Amino acid sequence: MATGKINVSVDNIFPLIKKFLYSDHEIFLRELISNATDATLKLKHLTAIGEAKVEYGNPIIEIKVDKEGKKLHIIDQGLGMTEEEVKKYINEVAFSGAEEFLDKYKDSGKDTGIIGHFGLGFYSAFMVADKVEIITKSFKEAPAMHWSCDGSPNFELKEAKKDDRGTEIILHVADDSTEFLEDNRISELLVKYNKFMPIPIKFGTKTETLPKPEGAKEEDPAPTKEVDNIINNPVPAWTKQPADLKDEDYKGFYRELYPTQFEEPLFNIHLNVDYPFNLTGILYFPKLSNDLNVQKDRIQLYQNQVFVTDNVEGIVPEFLTMLRGVIDSPDIPLNVSRSYLQADGAVKKISSYITRKVADKLASLFKNSREDFEAKWNDIKIVIEYGMLSEDKFFEKADKFALYPTIDNTYFTFEELQEKIKDNQTDKDDKLVILYASNKEEQHSYIEAAKAKGYEVLLMDSPIIGHLMQKLETSKEKVSFVRVDADHIDNLIKKEDNQISKLSDEEKESLKTNLEEVIADKGYTVQLEAMDSESSPFIITEPEFMRRMKEMQSTGGGGMFGRGNMPEMYNLIVNTNHELVSEILNTKTAKKRERLIHQSLDLAKLSKGLLKGAELTEFIKRSYDMVK
Ligand code: ADP
Ligand code: MG
């Protein structure tokens, strides 16, 4: 038997280990299973190249909880260690790894997040155990060894009795960590970190129902048998070649990743690069609503099939964090803070690769099955619009497939739209006027007025659309987006046939005074216009610029006008050529005129959705009086 002192410079490293990674204690299990996996894969490699002359077989890794004995066992059938190897890899290498790690991150320990993932390796066992044993037998001809250490820098190493190849790690779980003796807790960890690791992991057994033997009676119970409970899928879809996967396989893998999600994904993107960095993965476009606060943290990051985190901030661009799926890359540095990560060259490349792949996938969907793409547009637009806003590279590509649906469900690309309206939707400065509505119901009468003149009206209803319009207006030449209720339609779009007002200046003056007296509300500006006699007599409009700024403030990106609320500003546009307007002017009694104005004004408010409360009640009463 050999005893000795682990080569220490920090007097007692284990309390430190324990304290340092307090919140992340649970990762010890992932570390130990990773080691068991590595040991098994190394053996596989050695047998494959003929270096190890042993039968590889079908090795598994087993986790056993001994609640009574307060022990946790991690058992593998990998390559094992000889005495020399234990001394070298456990006493020297593993320890110096742990020491180095602590040294480096002692001070930045508070900057958690990704720190704490990997690096501590074997010694992370001491976060939850006050004594750790290793019983190991190498595939080489050498006696089995038994190493144990009680958390002080002293270890003990002696020969052991173990006939089968591999390593068993025994943790004597500390009193403050007994949660790790609960089956449920261990199951939870295995599912979280090891669900897709490459070697089958056994945790207990389960009962499997067998088919009934022939001639069995109806009431006979089906026979059962106890089988290994394997908790992982060692060959998850992302590790396979796209050519070997069918649509059904991708959907099946989605269900594996998100068992509680019953909605199917819209489509997927298989990532697969090995140069200049290594990355595989599958991203899914889920059905997204117009809610910007959709749950993020749905993309899982793996390193060689070991779960690392579900926070991929900094690794994929913000707009893609709305997607779901898996990214697996050994090239993402993990022992660093988020801010460092974002500045890392490899990570930048990874991020732009993913962005490009997503853009290419969307482009090919658009090109190859436009109908399908249109049908999905509503569910994916938020990601695309957000991407166009935040990533210029993505904007360039998406500009060719981003869709602009009309109120009647015709989908145009920007270019198609431009082509369609260039001859009859321009303003007095020859700018293209893109009319849109944000709500079909609320803006109904305005939409109808525009359609009656043969104009196209888009339906733009996502929460960030104001920001995107702003961007399009600056990046395209001579384009302006105008909501249908921003002004009278004839003011928005240039018309050849200028109307001449039927009213004299005097009449106009008196009309205006009458109107202003009745409205009395400072929020309205009365504007007399000579329109064709078929157009509405009274319309309330809200200038595009102010309204859009207000909306953009409420979806972030404001600031231009501070945080204060901007006032509501409406125009009351009066068509001086309408019959009703002449009638108001020609009414002899003041009382009757006032009633007409009130009634007309309320109708205009009603059509803009502004008539509410006492005003609405008053309007209804007045209307009954008028019709009875
Ligand atoms: P790393 O895995 O990054 O090398 P660890 O601290 O986790 O660092 O492990 C240190 C070394 O101990 C491993 O490189 C390996 O040589 C050895 N080792 C740990 N666990 C096992 C095991 N289950 N079977 C064989 N060797 C092991
Ligand atoms: Mg390790």
Side-chain angles (χ1 to χ4, degrees):
M1 180 169 105
T3 55
K5 230 172 177 231
I6 298 166
N7 179 23
V8 214
S9 53
V10 185
D11 203 31
N12 194 342
I13 201 163
F14 306 117
L16 249 166
I17 289 178
K18 198 157 184 159
K19 203 168 134 229
F20 175 64
L21 287 172
Y22 191 76
S23 63
D24 243 353
H25 279 181
E26 62 179 40
I27 61 139
F28 79 93
L29 187 60
R30 179 192 63 189
E31 292 300 322
L32 296 178
I33 295 179
S34 292
N35 285 350
T37 303
D38 292 347
T40 311
L41 292 173
K42 278 179 200 162
L43 183 69
K44 184 180 187 178
H45 178 70
L46 291 177
T47 51
I49 61 170
E51 200 115 312
K53 307 241 177 309
V54 294
E55 186 69 37
Y56 177 66
N58 295 302
I60 62 168
I61 293 166
E62 183 172 6
I63 315 302
K64 274 204 265 198
V65 176
D66 170 5
K67 203 169 170 175
E68 242 149 68
K70 295 191 178 173
K71 286 185 286 193
L72 190 62
H73 302 250
I74 294 101
I75 307 158
D76 69 59
Q77 298 156 19
L79 84 178
M81 283 178 277
T82 61
E83 180 175 0
E84 293 313 304
E85 286 164 344
V86 174
K87 284 181 179 161
K88 186 169 168 202
Y89 297 128
I90 299 298
N91 293 344
E92 289 169 29
V93 176
F95 186 82
S96 63
E99 200 185 25
E100 189 187 316
F101 179 86
L102 278 177
D103 236 29
K104 210 160 152 192
Y105 296 111
K106 232 179 336 205
D107 302 325
S108 55
K110 298 292 158 288
D111 186 8
T112 45
I114 221 158
I115 290 185
H117 292 308
F118 297 86
L120 262 188
F122 171 73
Y123 278 95
S124 63
F126 287 96
M127 295 195 294
V128 302
D130 40 36
K131 180 177 174 189
V132 178
E133 295 177 72
I134 304 174
I135 302 167
T136 182
K137 172 148 176 49
S138 170
F139 72 97
K140 298 170 191 160
E141 274 304 324
M145 296 309 294
H146 184 164
W147 178 94
S148 68
C149 178
D150 62 1
S152 72
N154 302 309
F155 70 89
E156 202 184 278
L157 183 62
K158 59 184 183 195
E159 279 192 23
K161 248 192 76 60
K162 179 172 164 59
D163 297 328
D164 42 351
R165 170 194 80 220
T167 302
E168 174 168 4
I169 310 280
I170 305 168
L171 307 187
H172 296 257
V173 175
D175 286 341
D176 61 2
S177 301
T178 50
E179 62 183 286
F180 300 113
L181 292 168
E182 301 295 332
D183 284 357
N184 285 343
R185 181 74 171 119
I186 296 297
S187 284
E188 182 199 340
L189 292 181
L190 291 174
V191 168
K192 178 170 174 188
Y193 293 106
N194 309 99
K195 198 171 167 185
F196 300 114
M197 288 192 66
I199 304 295
I201 299 165
K202 173 186 170 183
F203 184 52
T205 56
K206 62 180 179 190
T207 312
E208 213 173 66
T209 311
L210 299 169
K212 285 186 188 181
E214 224 162 297
K217 293 202 198 86
E218 188 75 41
E219 62 272 21
D220 286 346
T224 56
K225 104 175 165 194
E226 285 296 295
V227 295
D228 287 355
N229 178 34
I230 301 294
I231 58 95
N232 57 330
N233 169 6
V235 231
W238 84 82
T239 62
K240 299 179 187 170
Q241 287 302 313
D244 297 335
L245 294 164
K246 294 191 185 64
D247 198 41
E248 212 18 74
D249 299 320
Y250 285 110
K251 285 184 179 151
F253 180 60
Y254 186 79
R255 283 191 293 274
E256 235 180 291
L257 274 178
Y258 310 105
T260 56
Q261 193 73 36
F262 53 83
E263 194 127 43
E264 295 216 319
L266 296 168
F267 50 85
N268 63 271
I269 299 159
H270 201 130
L271 308 168
N272 201 340
V273 241
D274 45 27
Y275 185 82
F277 51 84
N278 232 296
L279 181 133
T280 50
I282 299 174
L283 293 180
Y284 292 93
F285 261 78
K287 259 192 167 166
L288 292 172
S289 63
N290 263 348
D291 184 4
L292 264 186
N293 300 316
V294 284
Q295 201 183 342
K296 293 181 180 177
D297 296 354
R298 286 300 190 84
I299 297 180
Q300 303 180 356
L301 177 66
Y302 287 75
Q303 232 178 47
N304 296 322
Q305 294 176 240
V306 185
F307 174 83
V308 179
T309 176
D310 54 11
N311 179 353
V312 293
E313 202 189 316
I315 296 161
V316 307
E318 166 92 13
F319 78 101
L320 292 178
T321 56
M322 285 187 270
L323 303 189
R324 300 201 179 137
V326 168
I327 292 170
D328 188 338
S329 173
D331 293 334
I332 298 171
L334 295 173
N335 291 319
V336 297
S337 68
R338 291 280 163 181
S339 49
Y340 181 85
L341 200 61
Q342 275 160 7
D344 184 88
V347 173
K348 272 190 190 152
K349 279 196 195 104
I350 287 173
S351 170
S352 62
Y353 164 79
I354 294 173
T355 307
R356 196 176 67 235
K357 284 293 271 194
V358 170
D360 290 349
K361 174 76 183 192
L362 291 166
S364 86
L365 273 176
F366 169 75
K367 198 166 148 243
N368 301 330
S369 44
R370 169 127 183 197
E371 212 173 301
D372 192 33
F373 188 78
E374 288 181 1
K376 286 175 175 148
W377 178 253
N378 236 344
D379 295 312
I380 59 175
K381 67 179 179 202
I382 190 97
V383 176
I384 299 176
E385 289 167 354
Y386 194 1
M388 289 173 79
L389 264 176
S390 53
E391 304 277 325
D392 285 340
K393 282 252 166 63
F394 187 79
F395 182 94
E396 274 167 41
K397 294 200 171 192
D399 193 29
K400 299 190 179 69
F401 57 71
L403 294 176
Y404 301 85
T406 69
I407 285 291
D408 305 309
N409 292 318
T410 308
Y411 289 78
F412 294 113
T413 61
F414 196 86
E415 210 181 286
E416 291 162 355
L417 179 69
Q418 238 171 342
E419 189 54 35
K420 174 90 188 186
I421 64 175
K422 70 174 193 305
D423 295 328
N424 67 334
Q425 278 182 232
T426 47
D427 66 9
K428 52 186 188 324
D429 303 323
D430 282 330
K431 261 193 184 174
L432 203 62
V433 179
I434 301 177
L435 293 171
Y436 71 97
S438 59
N439 188 313
K440 258 187 188 179
E441 303 296 320
E442 283 172 15
Q443 292 141 22
H444 188 268
S445 62
Y446 299 84
I447 296 169
E448 288 306 304
K451 279 181 19 182
K453 306 240 163 181
Y455 302 139
E456 294 289 345
V457 181
L458 303 181
L459 181 63
M460 311 267 266
D461 59 359
S462 47
I464 48 167
I465 200 69
H467 298 271
L468 184 61
M469 291 187 294
Q470 206 79 358
K471 177 156 179 136
L472 288 163
E473 283 169 347
T474 46
S475 63
K476 309 263 177 200
E477 257 162 60
K478 293 196 142 207
V479 168
S480 66
F481 284 85
V482 192
R483 206 166 89 174
V484 278
D485 57 353
D487 200 345
H488 191 289
I489 196 73
D490 290 346
N491 283 340
L492 292 173
I493 291 167
K494 179 181 71 182
K495 297 267 290 207
E496 297 305 329
D497 53 338
N498 270 342
Q499 301 278 328
I500 300 157
S501 183
K502 286 183 193 158
L503 304 186
S504 67
D505 287 352
E506 237 165 65
E507 285 173 315
K508 281 198 217 160
E509 204 50 46
S510 107
L511 177 67
K512 201 165 176 187
T513 318
N514 281 329
L515 288 168
E516 278 167 353
E517 267 166 20
V518 175
I519 308 172
D521 185 337
K522 298 271 180 303
Y524 289 84
T525 311
V526 176
Q527 216 175 302
L528 303 187
E529 303 269 356
M531 315 261 182
D532 78 59
S533 56
E534 299 299 303
S535 291
S536 293
F538 293 89
I539 302 178
I540 293 170
T541 61
E542 194 180 7
E544 177 73 15
F545 179 75
M546 288 302 273
R547 201 210 68 250
R548 203 194 292 173
M549 286 302 143
K550 221 160 48 186
E551 283 169 1
M552 283 164 62
Q553 255 186 356
S554 69
T555 52
M560 202 166 160
F561 297 91
R563 291 205 153 257
N565 278 336
M566 282 195 274
E568 308 274 321
M569 286 215 342
Y570 297 110
N571 292 328
L572 174 68
I573 298 188
V574 181
N575 179 2
T576 54
N577 289 347
H578 197 280
E579 219 184 307
L580 178 61
V581 176
S582 318
E583 204 183 318
I584 290 174
L585 208 53
N586 297 329
T587 301
K588 293 287 172 292
T589 65
K591 211 176 154 204
K592 195 177 168 199
R593 181 167 56 234
E594 211 168 281
R595 244 162 99 102
L596 273 176
I597 294 177
H598 260 307
Q599 192 69 6
S600 310
L601 209 95
D602 283 353
L603 286 169
K605 281 189 177 177
L606 196 61
S607 138
K608 177 89 174 95
L610 291 170
L611 201 61
K612 286 173 190 139
E615 279 188 337
L616 180 58
T617 310
E618 171 64 24
F619 166 77
I620 291 168
K621 204 165 153 254
R622 193 185 330 114
S623 300
Y624 278 132
D625 284 346
M626 284 173 91
V627 293
K628 85 183 169 202

